[in-house]
Amino acid sequence: MAYRNFSTAQLQAIDAAHHLHPFTDHKDLRQAGTRVISRAQGAFVYDTDGNEILDAMAGLWCVNIGYGRDELAEVAAEQMKELPYYNNFFRCTTPTPTLLARKLAEIAPTNVNQCFFGSSGSESNDTALRLVRHYWVLQGKPDKNIIISRNWAYHGSTITGASLGGMSAMHGQLNGAVPNIRHVMCPYAFELKHEGESDHEFGIRAARAVEEEILKAGPENVAAFIGEPIQGAGGVKIPPASYWPEIQRICREHDILLMLDEVITGYGRTGAWFAAQSMGIEPDTMTTAKALTSGYQPLSALLVSDRVAEVLQEKGGEFYHGYTYAGHPVACAVALKNLEIIEKERMIETVRDVTGPYLASALKDALADHPMVGEVRSFGFLGAIELVKDKATRARFNRDEGMVVRDHAIASGLMMRAVGSTMIMSPPLMWTKDTIDLAMRRARKALDLAYRDLTA
Ligand SMILES: *Cc1c(COP(=O)(O)O)cnc(C)c1O
């Protein structure tokens, strides 16, 4: 590899001179410097200083099968030699997106059988927004175009993604969001549940906030509701079991399409192919990306329900939308192999029946009693740790405690992420019970060190 001719310091200097990074304070980065991750194997990533870090984030929620699966490299090389690129425009197709689309229909909820490819979650959410609005135009209801989303939602970082999302800091830099998108409360029980309210009641109340917004706007003006089954980048906010069935009822009752963003939850993370199946809901669109290829190639797929796809086919007229790399043959070949590995190695069943429940109890046993832990929660292979100064009142430190824990975690050999005062985890599905135990020991150590710093 060409980079081996460079020292870590050289790579860092070149990076500082030329590379602008995503979601970064560049002044801060230039001072702190970058960590150069240069290789990975199984559950671990390695930096150029030789440090081994257990990757509890699976890259960015995507490396579900783990690192170093040569089968994916081999199919990519084979496909590149045979047909490195061709487009799917002008009545052409290529074999791998065709076969991948059939595979996705097979594993998706039964009412979902078609898909539209892109290269990122953000792109596919743009497709989803256009498609949903186009659907209502084709139905003769062009005014039915408001989308209801939620606070703390993350739907990507293009103008469409940021507009659909509910991150106030991102909205602050938009200088003009996509119009007709409204945001309501999210089902974040740790902060929003009232005293004496049950989880069930809270879930219903949070869902009814969507209904209230629909009624306020007039159902004849509302196209769709969009939500991540579990809010990921917003802090692994897991809704009570009552939430999604109530959302489904509300969407049906008011004839509103249900858009799920399964970019994180898709492809096994919740112990089913899709969270829609874990939660028993029937979406009209499902945005998927990340673990579709386990991150080995950039690829996204917007899965589309029969209800929506059939209107496109029956009414006709060109849908003026698509990307050069939509259905890229190499990315689709890699996705097919990735899904085959997930299936053959029974990774989803293992998360559902063995390691997911084990992670849930390990978080409780190893971390819940820690003086700065207010709550641990998980669903499948998504986990969160709430950091508090006072367990009884749930008061926060209000001191960047997430960053303090994160830095100690990385120094202790555990890649965890902080969202405000919440630590989050999204491990590869191939983690064993032993890997979970190792993660818990390193997390405990990071919490101890952070607690020492924060209470000094
Ligand atoms: C990551 C993410 C996206 C955006 O995907 P990109 O590939 O980064 O554009 C959208 N929605 C959710 C839920 C995500 O986690």
Side-chain angles (χ1 to χ4, degrees):
M1 295 283 201
Y3 76 81
R4 297 219 173 92
N5 300 325
F6 295 88
S7 69
T8 301
Q10 284 174 320
L11 288 171
Q12 286 165 326
I14 295 167
D15 194 76
H18 302 293
H19 185 185
L20 295 169
H21 290 248
F23 282 97
T24 290
D25 175 337
H26 286 88
K27 184 176 176 195
D28 183 67
L29 181 74
R30 293 301 182 245
Q31 279 159 11
T34 44
R35 174 187 295 278
V36 186
I37 305 289
S38 58
R39 82 194 164 82
Q41 186 59 40
F44 297 93
V45 298
Y46 299 85
D47 66 22
T48 43
D49 294 329
N51 294 304
E52 174 203 272
I53 307 168
L54 178 59
D55 185 11
M57 287 307 299
L60 264 181
W61 325 84
C62 52
V63 188
N64 279 16
I65 62 170
Y67 297 97
R69 296 297 302 244
D70 291 346
E71 304 96 308
L72 271 58
E74 281 150 19
V75 295
E78 214 177 298
Q79 181 64 45
M80 270 193 209
K81 288 178 196 163
E82 191 157 316
L83 179 70
Y85 173 76
Y86 199 72
N87 65 70
N88 296 281
F89 293 46
F90 322 123
R91 294 192 187 159
C92 291
T93 192
T94 75
T96 57
T98 301
L99 295 179
L100 179 58
R102 180 180 70 173
K103 181 68 190 172
L104 296 178
E106 182 194 313
I107 62 179
T110 49
N111 68 313
V112 173
N113 290 294
Q114 308 215 26
C115 80
F116 194 107
F117 289 113
S119 302
S120 72
S122 302
E123 281 182 12
S124 279
N125 274 333
D126 193 303
T127 303
L129 178 74
R130 286 162 186 261
L131 184 61
V132 158
R133 287 184 169 163
H134 186 57
Y135 168 86
W136 287 117
V137 169
L138 290 177
Q139 297 287 58
K141 297 179 179 176
D143 293 334
K144 205 166 159 60
N145 65 14
I146 293 173
I147 312 285
I148 296 175
S149 176
R150 301 171 299 173
N151 303 331
W152 288 107
Y154 188 76
H155 297 303
S157 184
T158 55
I159 288 183
T160 297
S163 303
L164 286 170
M167 302 290 189
S168 48
M170 290 174 76
H171 290 170
Q173 290 180 349
L174 271 183
N175 236 321
V178 173
N180 287 349
I181 299 172
R182 301 188 183 181
H183 298 84
V184 301
M185 72 178 283
C186 62
Y188 181 30
F190 187 74
E191 284 194 349
L192 300 177
K193 198 170 78 165
H194 295 154
E195 216 176 302
E197 190 178 33
S198 70
D199 283 346
H200 178 87
E201 289 161 346
F202 172 69
I204 299 289
R205 174 162 69 87
R208 297 269 166 90
V210 175
E211 187 164 40
E212 279 162 28
E213 197 64 35
I214 292 171
L215 294 171
K216 208 161 86 189
E220 70 282 6
N221 300 315
V222 180
F225 168 75
I226 185 167
E228 304 151 81
I230 293 169
Q231 288 181 305
V236 182
K237 293 174 164 50
I238 303 169
S242 57
Y243 183 78
W244 279 108
E246 182 66 4
I247 291 281
Q248 175 95 70
R249 176 198 69 76
I250 290 164
C251 288
R252 287 203 175 124
E253 195 164 314
H254 301 290
D255 199 21
I256 307 295
L257 296 179
L258 176 52
M259 304 165 74
L260 285 187
D261 186 337
E262 294 237 25
V263 171
I264 285 174
T265 50
Y267 307 109
R269 184 147 297 286
T270 66
W273 276 112
F274 299 100
Q277 294 148 336
S278 305
M279 293 168 187
I281 41 179
E282 284 192 352
D284 293 295
T285 65
M286 279 167 76
T287 313
T288 75
K290 295 191 169 121
L292 172 53
T293 61
S294 281
Y296 283 56
Q297 283 281 295
L299 180 67
S300 60
L302 179 74
L303 311 191
V304 180
S305 70
D306 297 336
R307 172 185 177 178
V308 173
E310 278 163 13
V311 166
L312 283 184
Q313 280 160 216
E314 278 159 21
K315 305 261 173 170
E318 182 168 345
F319 181 42
Y320 296 106
H321 175 71
Y323 307 108
T324 302
Y325 298 121
H328 193 284
V330 178
C332 291
V334 168
L336 279 163
K337 182 54 83 177
N338 173 59
L339 299 179
E340 185 189 312
I341 288 173
I342 290 176
E343 202 160 28
K344 269 201 184 136
E345 300 184 11
R346 301 184 62 78
M347 289 186 181
I348 297 176
E349 294 83 348
T350 304
V351 166
R352 186 190 63 202
D353 301 333
V354 185
T355 47
Y358 189 81
L359 175 65
S361 55
L363 282 165
K364 287 206 174 69
D365 296 346
L367 306 180
D369 70 327
H370 194 279
M372 69 181 291
V373 172
E375 176 182 90
V376 295
R377 58 177 178 267
S378 67
F379 193 111
F381 253 19
L382 281 168
I385 306 161
E386 294 288 353
L387 306 176
V388 293
K389 187 173 171 188
D390 183 324
K391 281 171 103 82
T393 64
R394 295 187 167 179
R396 307 285 195 176
F397 286 92
N398 296 318
R399 279 188 48 195
D400 267 356
E401 54 267 32
M403 293 301 168
V404 176
V405 174
R406 185 201 63 184
D407 289 347
H408 279 301
I410 296 173
S412 307
L414 179 67
M415 192 63 85
M416 263 201 297
R417 209 175 132 190
V419 178
S421 306
T422 312
M423 304 308 300
I424 54 177
M425 298 173 84
S426 166
L429 308 187
M430 41 68 74
W431 272 25
T432 62
K433 289 182 178 179
D434 285 345
T435 332
I436 293 170
D437 290 340
L438 178 63
M440 293 304 122
R441 285 197 298 278
R442 292 181 178 180
R444 180 89 194 187
K445 182 178 167 198
L447 288 168
D448 286 344
L449 293 170
Y451 190 65
R452 185 202 60 191
D453 290 356
L454 290 161
T455 55

